[in-house]
C-alpha cells in the first residue's frame, strides 16, 4: 500500500495502459475488419515487398497505380519491418500490422 501512495502517477499510467489494452486493443486484435480504407494497399505493398523485393528496400511494383517505384516515394520502414518479420517468423502480415498498431497505442 505504501508503494501505491508513493507512486500514484506510475500506478495510474499502468492502470490506464492495462484498461486500454483490455477494452480497446484486445477487441481490435480479435477483429477481422482490419482491411478497410487504405490498409489494403499497405498490406499488398508489404506482401509484394516480402515476396519480390527483399532484401532490396525499393523496386518496381507493376501492380499498383499502373506501376511505380515502391519504397522511394513513401517511407518504407514500416513496410520493410513488417515484411522482414513476416518472412522470418511466418506470421500473417495483417496480424503483424495489428500488433504494431497496438504497441504504438500503448507506448
Amino acid at each position: 500500500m505504501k508503494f501505491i501512495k508513493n507512486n500514484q502517477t506510475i500506478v495510474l499510467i499502468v492502470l490506464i495502459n492495462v484498461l486500454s489494452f483490455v477494452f480497446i486493443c484486445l477487441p481490435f486484435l480479435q477483429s477481422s475488419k482490419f482491411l478497410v480504407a487504405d490498409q489494403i494497399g499497405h498490406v499488398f505493398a508489404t506482401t509484394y515487398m516480402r515476396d519480390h523485393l527483399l532484401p532490396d528496400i525499393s523496386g518496381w511494383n507493376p501492380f499498383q497505380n499502373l506501376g511505380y517505384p515502391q519504397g522511394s516515394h513513401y517511407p518504407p520502414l514500416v513496410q520493410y519491418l513488417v515484411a522482414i518479420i513476416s518472412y522470418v517468423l511466418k506470421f500473417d502480415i495483417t496480424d503483424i500490422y495489428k500488433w504494431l498498431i497496438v504497441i504504438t497505442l500503448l507506448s
Side-chain angles (χ1 to χ4, degrees):
M1 214 48 161
K2 189 175 184 179
F3 175 78
I4 294 174
K5 280 188 176 184
N6 292 340
N7 300 307
Q8 289 179 352
T9 307
I10 295 173
V11 171
L12 183 65
I13 290 172
V14 169
L15 183 65
I16 289 172
N17 275 337
V18 168
L19 290 176
S20 65
F21 183 76
V22 169
F23 291 110
I24 296 172
C25 298
L26 280 180
F28 174 71
L29 288 172
Q30 294 171 349
S31 171
S32 63
K33 296 180 182 181
F34 180 70
L35 297 176
V36 295
D38 68 337
Q39 284 298 334
I40 295 170
H42 290 289
V43 169
F44 179 76
T46 305
T47 303
Y48 185 78
M49 182 177 279
R50 178 193 64 195
D51 295 341
H52 300 286
L53 297 181
L54 281 179
D56 296 329
I57 294 176
S58 64
W60 187 257
N61 183 345
F63 298 110
Q64 288 184 324
N65 305 326
L66 298 175
Y68 76 104
Q70 181 175 336
S72 61
H73 297 296
Y74 190 81
L77 179 63
V78 173
Q79 292 176 351
Y80 201 66
L81 179 67
V82 171
I84 289 172
I85 292 171
S86 173
Y87 183 77
V88 171
L89 299 179
K90 307 295 184 209
F91 287 156
D92 187 36
I93 288 177
T94 56
D95 292 338
I96 298 169
Y97 268 115
K98 286 180 182 182
W99 275 106
L100 282 178
I101 290 170
V102 166
I103 290 168
T104 304
L105 288 174
L106 294 179
S107 64

